[in-house]
Amino acid sequence: MSEVVLRKTIGRVGLIQINRPEALNALNDDVMDGIGAAVDTYERDDNIGCIVLTGNERAFAAGADVEYMKDFDFQEVYKGNFISRNWEKVREARKPVVAAVSGYALGGGCELAMMCDLIFASDTARFGQPEIKIGTMPGAGGTQRLPRLVGKAKAMDMCLTSRMVDAAEAERWGIVSRVYPSDRLLDETLEAAKLIANCSLPVVMMIKESINRAYESSLTDGLLFERRAFHSTFGLDDQKEGMSAFLSKRQPAFKHR
């Protein structure tokens, strides 16, 4: 049996690929455990500064695997902590995670992409939360992250009518950061991830933490958090190197400390 999650290291970038093409990369415990294990590995590796998560040209992930979960009952999903047990690894990563989305990102696939810090999409990408069609609702953040990205009205539209949006509309709405032709998507995503990974890792992590803080605190508290993080960068070797390199008109050689 082929591996359902593939890993590859490209310089300081860790690439994770969902590999269930016969099921349009539908998400089950094997897939999510594999993604979680890969994230943990890259989080522990000081030589990795950014993570990329992708699928294939037809689908990033066409949702949670309905065949896998159709017979679950309440006790099983509640006691087994379904979704919370292993899906949260992507959200909990301290290093940036960039989703490269082609084709379908529906239901759990859309939610998995939204757990990432950036979404780059191909012009073939389609995003949607169609759970209402199968008698259930989003359960991995669709009713929570989506309104924060697109606002209440558009989130209601997607979740209540199961409307799919294409890459151009997703970019206008703020779900997607960039859109590329499908044959360029992964290369462009890896190039951006390489740029991030070659910056000072402590600073990259502080920026991610500070932006995420903006969604969970008042402006006053968020500004204080940002200010203290900014102050702390002056204790880094990389701050001294970065500013010296700027004044010397050369490229910095960050040591990620």
Side-chain angles (χ1 to χ4, degrees), residues 6-16 41-42 45 47-48 50 190:
L6 305 176
R7 305 181 200 176
K8 185 177 182 181
T9 300
I10 304 167
R12 287 184 53 80
V13 177
L15 176 64
I16 305 171
T41 296
Y42 292 142
D45 189 343
N47 294 313
I48 296 296
C50 189
L190 290 171

Side-chain angles (χ1 to χ4, degrees), residues 36-147:
V39 169
D40 282 344
T41 296
Y42 292 142
E43 284 276 274
R44 291 192 299 267
D45 189 343
D46 290 338
N47 294 313
I48 296 296
C50 189
I51 300 166
V52 171
L53 177 62
T54 193
N56 57 44
E57 288 190 10
R58 290 189 65 202
F60 175 75
D65 191 331
V66 176
E67 179 64 31
Y68 164 72
M69 65 181 180
K70 65 181 175 62
D71 294 325
F72 288 172
D73 61 23
F74 172 76
Q75 290 293 334
E76 190 171 1
V77 295
Y78 180 72
K79 289 170 67 177
N81 209 16
F82 182 47
I83 293 179
S84 300
R85 184 186 69 79
N86 48 4
W87 286 55
E88 298 296 313
K89 290 288 187 179
V90 173
R91 181 187 65 83
E92 293 166 357
R94 298 183 70 199
K95 295 175 182 178
V97 183
V98 185
V101 176
S102 273
Y104 296 114
L106 305 178
C110 185
E111 291 169 308
L112 178 60
M114 290 191 294
M115 290 180 194
C116 299
D117 302 298
L118 293 167
I119 302 176
F120 292 176
S122 79
D123 50 14
T124 67
R126 299 291 183 272
F127 297 86
Q129 298 291 160
E131 290 89 345
I132 197 169
K133 282 187 170 182
I134 57 170
T136 187
M137 62 176 284
T143 68
Q144 302 302 305
R145 291 188 181 91
L146 195 57

Side-chain angles (χ1 to χ4, degrees), residues 4-5 18 20 22-23 25-35 63-66 68-69 82 85-87:
V4 295
V5 174
I18 305 168
R20 292 190 74 204
E22 75 289 348
N25 289 337
L27 306 172
N28 58 19
D29 270 352
D30 289 340
V31 173
M32 299 313 299
D33 285 343
I35 291 172
D65 191 331
V66 176
Y68 164 72
M69 65 181 180
F82 182 47
R85 184 186 69 79
N86 48 4
W87 286 55

Side-chain angles (χ1 to χ4, degrees), residues 164-185:
M164 281 196 290
V165 299
D166 63 19
E169 193 163 20
E171 184 181 27
R172 289 197 302 272
W173 286 8
I175 299 173
V176 165
S177 301
R178 306 183 191 178
V179 178
Y180 293 107
S182 59
D183 60 349
R184 289 176 46 205
L185 173 66

